[in-house]
């Protein structure tokens, strides 16, 4: 056999760029988080400006944390580790750079559109349809680069980290495509094809698996590479990693319904979500054990090395979050936890502890390596670690306390069957001090991050000016003989097929995620409204054109982030808000508005509870109505003119999606909206309210709020 | 009728089928990883991240 040597350099330039992007966006995400936290501690931080309200800032924070910070971490680590594990340079420099700049452009477009109120109103999927298309294009480029790199690999075996990367790629593609099936009704406005309960299931299949396959699997891949690298020991059990991978990928996809327990989601779906979420504890801890046991015999190194401290602690937080999550997925626990800050505590233990700390550990490991120097200050990194850890603990303790306190207060029913705390605001005033504590925890975490920035800048400044280009020395020149590689391959046959061929591996991973997806989603989606018994027992009126315009304002302002519209099947919910919601109540809601947090009360049956003037005054200044309210002011809704120019197009699109508007209602939508607005505004004026509101946004929003709970009639 | 059946999909069989499918996957994976010859293969693969030649660019012939 002719032997040839391959000379190739790894593309570490794109790794450096992704790493710098990670650090920059981490700062943005953390600052936005602190700001959002302060807005909840004091409404004054909303500044009375629409672009700064919690409803607009919170999606900016979550997108920055997940897609900007965690996203760039993933890409930095994948590009760095893959090349070395496969002994080849990335397939295409052009595609690498397209991926890098495309991703940053997507982040910038999010930063511009979200504060302006352009949102789909679905958590972690807020970005409107043109950006959804851009995400799909860039994601395909990333996958193509990855798969082609695997195909041109010089190492025949595919290390388990790469399996996690591949599973991430295909599953995120599937999640994104399915949850992005939407009808554009404007340049930056769309409606999902799903409505009500179907949209709820698709959204939380997406939402939970965004956590699974964007925040967990790629980070597990990074864990399987960087912990062994940092401690210079192989993973504790490769067998365990294989079992871990397949169990995790199969089970995770079912967990979505645990976000919808005790709601109008059919019981069978809730049960599947709960059972598989509890089962998920085991493979998750398999991964955690594998990561931590890799450090056996090297705990003295963990004591001395901040990189290992971050990586080990990240793995421990992963374990905590993946025990807590299954616990919260039990229906009776969810009765207490759902809609409360306990969920926030859980999320941030994972995000700050698992994702954040793993990112920081990777950064501290990679920067000296890539810039060919030593870390500027180990003690600064140690200080960062301790500040960050204490910050997370303060965050979680405050939010656990707030969540459990509020949950218990809201659920408390006395012996005579009455609510012990009938006013929602009673629970808010109890926990606001904890919002200050949480903000303090976030500030500590951020100060730790600032130490990282300083340390990284000083480290890069220590880098040698010009890298020597001598083969075999400090430049990562790969010089491998093909002949030796062929000799090094083990186990042809079944091993080659099941573990050494990326396409087969990817196909099997897709099958694994499709099983859960199909069994949970197809029955929900395939049945139409007309054939459903649940819908047949109810007559549901669609929103009028004015109410629809109002609902789109509700979504724009992010009201769904603090107010749910789903009264659960629990005594305390029914006593507080009225009869539990049925599937029919949200039959025509594109997108559904069930919500996932009650910073304020549920609004599902608020229609008719208060007069119109109450709503006008409440939106202008919530504290005129409820003194201790933490809700922002929405003055601009009384100043800005209602834009009805696209309402006919919106109703037409909804009509196409099955909402029973007549052609007359669609063609007369503008006139009908103006008539309804004029009547509503005149009535408010007569009651002593503000004048000249007929053409203002507030009128549409109030019309919508007054419709809630009034659209459904039992036959 | 098919669509009605799909919406009334409230049968315990769905969970049982799902759990059985998972059991097959899990047991199958366990059998697979303990197959004959896997020790040597997995020892080699688990050493891949530690291959110093890839990190430091040593000439490998």
């Amino acid at each position: 056999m002719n032997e040839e040597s391959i000379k190739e350099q790894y593309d570490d330039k794109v790794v450096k760029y992704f790493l710098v992007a990670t650090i920059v966006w981490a700062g943005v995400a953390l600052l936005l988080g602190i700001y959002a936290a302060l807005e909840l501690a004091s409404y004054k931080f909303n500044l009375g400006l629409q672009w700064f309200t919690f409803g607009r800032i919170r999606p900016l924070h979550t997108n920055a944390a997940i897609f900007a910070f965690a996203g760039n971490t993933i890409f930095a680590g994948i590009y760095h580790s893959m090349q070395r594990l496969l002994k080849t340079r990335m397939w295409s420099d052009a595609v690498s750079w397209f991926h890098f700049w495309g991703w940053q452009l997507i982040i910038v477009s999010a930063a511009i559109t979200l504060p302006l109120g352009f949102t789909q109103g679905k958590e972690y999927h807020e970005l409107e349809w043109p950006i959804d298309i851009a995400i799909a294009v860039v994601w395909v480029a990333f996958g193509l680069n990855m798969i082609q790199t695997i195909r041109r690999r010089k190492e025949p075996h595919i290390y388990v980290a790469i399996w996690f990367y591949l599973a991430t790629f295909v599953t995120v593609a599937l999640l994104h495509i399915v949850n992005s099936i939407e009808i554009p009704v404007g340049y930056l406005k769309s409606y999902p094809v799903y409505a009500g309960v179907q949209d709820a299931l698709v959204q939380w299949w997406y939402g939970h698996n965004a956590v699974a396959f964007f925040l967990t699997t790629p980070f597990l891949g990074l864990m399987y590479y960087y912990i062994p690298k940092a401690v210079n020991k192989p993973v504790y059990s490769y067998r365990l990693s294989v079992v871990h991978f397949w169990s995790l990928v199969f089970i995770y996809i079912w967990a979505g319904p645990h976000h919808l327990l005790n709601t109008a989601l059919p019981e069978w779906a809730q049960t599947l979500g709960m059972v598989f979420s509890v089962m998920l504890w085991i493979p998750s801890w398999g991964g955690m054990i594998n990561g931590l046991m890799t450090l056996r015999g090297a705990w003295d190194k963990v004591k001395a090395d901040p990189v290992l401290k971050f990586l080990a602690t990240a793995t421990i937080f992963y374990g905590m979050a993946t025990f807590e999550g299954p616990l919260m997925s039990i229906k009776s626990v969810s009765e207490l936890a759902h809609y409360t800050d306990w969920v926030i505590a859980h999320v941030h233990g994972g995000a700050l502890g698992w994702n954040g700390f793993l990112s920081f550990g990777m950064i501290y490991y990679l920067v000296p390596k890539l810039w060919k120097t030593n870390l500027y200050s180990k003690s600064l990194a140690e200080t960062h670690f301790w500040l960050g850890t204490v910050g997370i603990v303060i965050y979680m303790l405050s939010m656990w306390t707030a969540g459990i306190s509020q949950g218990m207060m809201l659920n408390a029913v006395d012996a005579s069957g009455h609510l012990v705390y009938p006013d929602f605001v009673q629970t808010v005033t109890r926990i606001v001090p904890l919002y200050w504590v949480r903000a303090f925890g976030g500030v500590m975490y951020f100060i730790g991050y600032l130490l990282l920035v300083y340390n990284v800048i000083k480290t890069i400044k220590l880098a040698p000016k010009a890298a020597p280009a001598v083969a075999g020395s400090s430049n990562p020149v790969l010089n491998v003989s093909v002949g030796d590689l062929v000799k090094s391959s083990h186990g042809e046959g079944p091993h080659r097929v099941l573990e050494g061929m990326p396409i087969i591996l990817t196909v099997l991973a897709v099958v694994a995620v499709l099983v859960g997806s199909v069994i949970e989603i197809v029955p929900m989606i395939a049945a139409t409204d007309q054939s459903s018994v649940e819908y047949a027992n109810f007559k549901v009126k669609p929103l009028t054109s004015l109410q629809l315009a109002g609902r789109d304002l509700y979504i724009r302002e992010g009201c769904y982030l603090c107010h749910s519209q789903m009264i659960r099947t629990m005594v305390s919910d029914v006593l507080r808000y009225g009869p539990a919601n049925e599937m029919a109540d949200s039959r025509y809601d594109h997108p559904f508005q069930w919500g996932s947090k009650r910073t304020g009360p549920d609004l599902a049956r608020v229609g008719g509870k208060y007069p119109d003037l109450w709503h006008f005054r409440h939106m202008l200044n919530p504290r005129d109505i409820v003194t201790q309210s933490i809700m922002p002011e929405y003055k601009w809704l009384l100043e800005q003119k209602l834009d009805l120019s696209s309402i006919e197009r919106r109703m037409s699109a909804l009509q196409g999606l099955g909402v029973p508007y007549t052609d007359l209602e669609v063609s007369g939508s503008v006139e009908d909206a103006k008539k309804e607005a004029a009547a509503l505004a005149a009535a408010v004026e007569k009651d002593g309210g503000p004048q000249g509101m007929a053409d203002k946004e507030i009128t549409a929003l109030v019309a919508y709020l007054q419709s809630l709970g009034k659209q459904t009639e039992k036959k | 009728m098919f669509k009605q059946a799909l919406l009334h999909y409230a049968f315990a069989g769905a969970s049982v089928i799902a759990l059985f499918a998972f059991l097959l996957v899990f047991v199958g994976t366990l059998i697979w990883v303990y197959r004959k010859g896997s020790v040597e293969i997995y020892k080699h693969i688990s050493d891949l991240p530690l291959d110093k030649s890839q990190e430091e660019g040593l000439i490998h012939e």
Side-chain angles (χ1 to χ4, degrees), chain A residues 214-233:
Chain A
F214 202 86
L215 295 180
T216 303
T217 54
F219 281 81
L220 286 170
L222 299 180
M223 179 197 85
Y224 274 117
Y225 182 77
Y226 287 104
I227 286 187
K229 287 297 289 186
V231 76
N232 200 28
K233 284 161 74 84

Side-chain angles (χ1 to χ4, degrees), chain A residues 324-388:
Chain A
E324 190 181 31
L327 175 73
M328 295 168 78
S329 300
I330 297 169
K331 273 181 101 171
S332 49
V333 179
S334 177
E335 280 187 14
L336 175 65
H338 191 42
Y339 295 133
T340 73
D341 285 302
W342 185 354
V343 178
I344 308 305
H346 168 65
V347 162
H348 285 85
L352 298 174
W354 164 235
N355 299 120
F357 269 23
L358 201 128
S359 304
F360 298 145
M362 194 185 83
I363 290 168
Y364 282 122
Y365 175 80
L366 275 182
V367 168
K369 289 261 185 294
L370 291 175
W371 273 271
K372 300 183 202 337
T373 181
N374 295 316
L375 186 66
Y376 171 71
S377 166
K378 245 175 148 183
S379 69
L380 269 183
E382 291 270 344
T383 309
H384 173 194
F385 171 78
W386 288 111
L387 277 171

Side-chain angles (χ1 to χ4, degrees), chain A residues 40-42 398-399 402 426-440 630:
Chain A
L40 291 175
S42 168
S398 59
M399 289 299 97
Q426 291 172 288
T427 70
V428 173
T429 49
R430 188 68 65 92
I431 64 175
V432 163
L434 292 165
Y435 285 161
W436 288 108
V437 176
R438 178 259 302 269
F440 176 69
I630 61 173

Side-chain angles (χ1 to χ4, degrees), chain A residues 156-349:
Chain A
H157 297 288
I158 303 176
Y159 185 65
V160 71
I162 297 171
W163 300 18
F164 279 97
Y165 305 154
L166 280 171
T168 295
F169 166 66
V170 290
T171 313
V172 168
L174 175 70
L175 295 167
H176 179 70
I177 288 167
V178 171
N179 204 23
S180 295
I181 304 177
E182 57 226 15
I183 308 292
V185 292
Y187 291 117
L188 284 168
K189 181 71 191 161
S190 61
Y191 293 135
V193 299
Y194 319 103
V197 67
Q198 285 95 346
D199 195 30
L201 184 59
V202 170
Q203 161 59 24
W204 285 111
W205 166 81
Y206 165 89
H208 195 79
N209 290 298
V211 168
F213 288 91
F214 202 86
L215 295 180
T216 303
T217 54
F219 281 81
L220 286 170
L222 299 180
M223 179 197 85
Y224 274 117
Y225 182 77
Y226 287 104
I227 286 187
K229 287 297 289 186
V231 76
N232 200 28
K233 284 161 74 84
V235 68
Y236 168 65
S237 165
Y238 197 81
R239 279 193 176 124
L240 179 56
S241 72
V242 173
V243 178
H244 169 215
F245 173 80
W246 288 110
S247 314
L248 199 82
V249 159
F250 187 97
I251 296 179
Y252 232 133
I253 207 79
W254 300 79
H258 72 220
H259 292 262
L260 300 165
L261 297 175
N262 302 300
T263 67
L265 186 76
E267 284 293 334
W268 62 264
Q270 294 186 42
T271 302
L272 278 178
M274 179 176 77
V275 167
F276 276 79
S277 298
V278 171
M279 283 165 56
L280 188 57
W281 171 35
I282 300 302
S284 302
W285 274 35
M288 175 193 71
I289 288 165
N290 217 357
L292 289 177
M293 291 294 280
T294 301
L295 298 167
R296 78 203 181 290
W299 290 102
D300 56 320
K301 285 188 187 172
V302 177
K303 210 172 154 191
D305 183 359
V307 170
L308 283 173
K309 278 199 176 65
F310 274 109
L311 296 179
T313 309
T315 312
I316 291 169
F317 273 111
Y318 173 64
M320 278 178 62
T322 53
F323 174 73
E324 190 181 31
L327 175 73
M328 295 168 78
S329 300
I330 297 169
K331 273 181 101 171
S332 49
V333 179
S334 177
E335 280 187 14
L336 175 65
H338 191 42
Y339 295 133
T340 73
D341 285 302
W342 185 354
V343 178
I344 308 305
H346 168 65
V347 162
H348 285 85

Side-chain angles (χ1 to χ4, degrees), chain A residues 380-542:
Chain A
L380 269 183
E382 291 270 344
T383 309
H384 173 194
F385 171 78
W386 288 111
L387 277 171
T389 304
V390 172
I392 298 170
V393 169
I394 291 173
Y395 192 113
M396 291 183 78
L397 280 176
S398 59
M399 289 299 97
W400 274 333
T401 310
I404 292 170
S405 301
Q406 187 176 41
M408 290 183 75
M409 288 174 80
L410 289 171
N411 289 356
V413 175
D414 65 24
S416 63
H418 293 104
L419 292 167
V420 176
Y421 300 95
D423 291 329
F424 190 93
V425 75
Q426 291 172 288
T427 70
V428 173
T429 49
R430 188 68 65 92
I431 64 175
V432 163
L434 292 165
Y435 285 161
W436 288 108
V437 176
R438 178 259 302 269
F440 176 69
V443 167
M444 284 193 73
Y445 193 86
F446 181 69
I447 293 171
Y449 156 81
L450 290 177
L451 295 182
L452 174 143
V453 174
Y454 179 76
N455 211 349
V456 163
I457 291 172
K458 296 295 267 187
T459 301
I460 292 173
K461 283 188 169 168
L462 291 173
K465 292 300 171 209
V470 178
S473 62
S474 48
N475 247 5
V477 174
L478 168 65
N479 205 341
V480 181
S481 156
V482 172
D484 278 349
L485 284 165
V486 169
K487 274 186 230 158
S488 76
S489 54
H490 291 87
E492 297 301 321
H495 172 78
R496 160 70 44 216
V497 172
L498 286 178
E499 292 194 28
M501 299 179 85
I503 303 298
I504 292 178
L505 209 129
T506 307
V507 166
L508 289 175
V510 171
V511 167
V513 304
L514 277 178
V515 170
S517 309
V518 165
I519 293 182
E520 277 187 351
I521 294 178
V522 167
M524 292 299 300
I525 300 297
T528 61
D529 294 352
Q530 284 72 33
S531 64
S532 145
V533 164
E534 281 83 351
Y535 291 145
N537 285 343
F538 296 91
K539 190 167 170 220
V540 184
K541 246 187 330 176

